Amino acid sequence: MHGEYKVPGGKLVVVDLEVVDGSIQEFRLAGDFFLEPDDALPLIDQAVSGLPATTDAAGIAAAVRGALPEDAVLLGFTPESVGVAVRRALSRASTWQEYDWEIVHEGPISPNEHLALDQVLTEEVGAGRRGPTLRIWEWDQPAVVIGSFQSLKNEVDPAGAEKYGVQVVRRISGGGAMFMDAGAIISYSLYVPTDLVQGMTFADSYAYLDEWVIEALKSLGIEAYYQPLNDITSTKGKIGGAAQKRLGTGALLHHATMSYDMDGQKMVEVLRIGREKMSDKGTTSAAKRVDPLRSQTGLTRAEIIDRLIGTFTKLYGAHEGHVTEAERARAQELVRTKFDTREWLERVP
């Protein structure tokens, strides 16, 4: 069995092993990481060999850590990443490069249609009718997108939303509210088979699925990194956040929103939670807490999107795609029957 795990912000961990009578045998660790002293590598191999094949990632990491000499130095990987790689091998997880990726970047549609497409395209990947897909959002009207489990009245100030003509909508994934002013953010969705994140915890999968974004931002001169659980950030401030939904059909939705050119004052007038977060962190200005991509790069939104698409394509290979007429029709029907209804919006009053 073979497993690979690219450590977010680190190196590639590769494992090969066999399972004999329920235990891991002939284990070999490799990768482009750094490890000192040299003789620590066979010690890791010996520690994992013989473990029950049911051992979870934390148990594997503990065995690796216990086998390392006190002066061992691990650069670009950790005992935990070895545990993830082993679990991926045992669960026969897939890799990015195994798929024929499609990138969809089409014209603006309503916020609710974006949310409906997220459900439809994830279902299509799960059913095997669509390959894994990256979709970049475009819209031309302001909106607040609240998480599936958030309270509408606790998150949104209706007076502020009315003042600025902001539509309030609810998505199928959890997480916090997104303030989406027209042309002021960059949002994308990934629709992927769950096999891609087999062997990972939910927390591990967030950083893993956004590693390409971190690389793209670094190529633009941004000192970007991932802050668990779901924040894309930099040394100058938070850039954005991600959310996930697993539909139980063999596919998951992972989407993220990054600020390009935010209006912090407008955001805190519309979002109640924005005021709480400012107070909690001793911050009086939203602009100081969320640092937009425009201020860090001086580039247009379109130029940044081009870099994101270019980085994804370089890393994983991809071709231009589109939403089919049937998929769009299903999404529009879902807007009518679900996403644009008071029952859905107020499911958590």
Side-chain angles (χ1 to χ4, degrees):
M1 296 180 180
H2 179 84
E4 297 183 3
Y5 177 55
K6 171 65 170 62
V7 180
K11 299 297 185 177
L12 181 66
V13 177
V14 181
V15 301
D16 290 282
L17 57 91
E18 299 293 337
V19 174
V20 180
D21 295 331
S23 68
I24 299 171
Q25 300 294 331
E26 300 182 35
F27 178 80
R28 294 290 182 270
L29 172 66
D32 59 355
F33 50 77
F34 299 91
L35 174 64
E36 295 291 346
D38 280 352
D39 58 9
L41 185 62
L43 295 178
I44 294 175
D45 291 345
Q46 293 166 19
V48 177
S49 290
L51 289 176
T54 55
T55 307
D56 63 15
I60 296 165
V64 170
R65 188 175 288 106
L68 291 169
E70 291 186 5
D71 60 345
V73 177
L74 287 68
L75 296 177
F77 81 118
T78 63
E80 286 73 20
S81 63
V82 177
V84 172
V86 172
R87 292 311 315 171
R88 284 176 61 76
L90 291 168
S91 61
R92 301 187 185 278
S94 57
T95 65
W96 293 89
Q97 290 77 11
E98 291 179 39
Y99 298 107
D100 181 19
W101 289 91
E102 184 171 318
I103 298 179
V104 175
H105 186 202
E106 299 178 330
I109 56 176
S110 72
N112 266 330
E113 191 169 341
H114 277 299
L115 302 181
L117 273 176
D118 273 354
Q119 178 174 330
V120 169
L121 298 185
T122 307
E123 290 172 347
E124 290 296 286
V125 170
R129 292 186 292 264
R130 164 176 285 276
T133 302
L134 165 66
R135 184 173 69 89
I136 310 293
W137 295 26
E138 293 292 347
W139 69 102
D140 54 12
Q141 59 190 98
V144 166
V145 183
I146 62 175
S148 180
F149 311 109
Q150 289 187 297
S151 163
L152 176 62
K153 66 180 180 181
N154 288 345
E155 299 299 322
V156 181
D157 185 327
E162 182 178 2
K163 175 182 177 180
Y164 293 108
V166 175
Q167 182 183 10
V168 182
V169 296
R170 186 186 293 275
R171 63 181 184 269
I172 62 173
S173 62
M178 305 186 304
F179 181 70
M180 298 175 50
D181 217 349
I185 66 166
I186 296 172
S187 284
Y188 60 87
S189 298
L190 281 166
Y191 316 104
V192 304
T194 52
D195 283 351
L196 184 61
V197 295
Q198 286 289 353
M200 299 183 194
T201 64
F202 273 85
D204 288 336
S205 71
Y206 273 88
Y208 181 73
L209 291 174
D210 282 333
E211 177 69 7
W212 63 278
V213 178
I214 302 299
E215 184 162 333
L217 295 178
K218 286 181 176 178
S219 76
L220 294 171
I222 299 173
E223 297 179 48
Y225 59 95
Y226 215 79
Q227 182 170 304
L229 171 66
N230 62 334
D231 284 348
I232 299 170
T233 191
S234 77
T235 54
K236 294 184 178 180
K238 178 179 174 179
I239 294 171
Q244 281 187 18
K245 177 66 176 179
R246 305 191 182 203
L247 298 186
T249 59
L252 71 86
L253 161 66
H254 177 97
H255 48 193
T257 293
M258 298 185 289
S259 292
Y260 171 69
D261 189 16
M262 70 172 291
D263 184 332
Q265 182 59 40
K266 186 188 295 187
M267 183 183 78
V268 297
E269 287 188 54
V270 175
L271 293 181
R272 297 186 193 277
I273 195 67
R275 304 165 198 172
E276 296 298 323
K277 287 186 176 179
M278 299 307 131
S279 173
D280 180 58
K281 296 179 183 298
T283 303
T284 58
S285 170
K288 291 181 180 179
R289 183 168 179 270
V290 180
D291 193 73
L293 294 172
R294 181 179 181 181
S295 68
Q296 294 203 43
T297 66
L299 299 175
T300 66
R301 179 176 174 275
E303 288 172 325
I304 294 173
I305 289 174
D306 285 346
R307 181 61 60 90
L308 290 171
I309 292 174
T311 300
F312 189 94
T313 302
K314 179 185 71 175
L315 290 172
Y316 311 132
H319 64 275
E320 183 179 350
H322 64 279
V323 175
T324 69
E325 290 184 7
E327 290 167 340
R328 194 170 302 282
R330 284 183 56 208
Q332 291 170 347
E333 178 65 10
L334 271 178
V335 170
R336 187 184 68 82
T337 60
K338 177 179 179 178
F339 289 96
D340 200 28
T341 66
R342 298 302 300 181
E343 290 79 8
W344 174 252
L345 180 61
E346 297 174 359
R347 68 186 296 252
V348 184

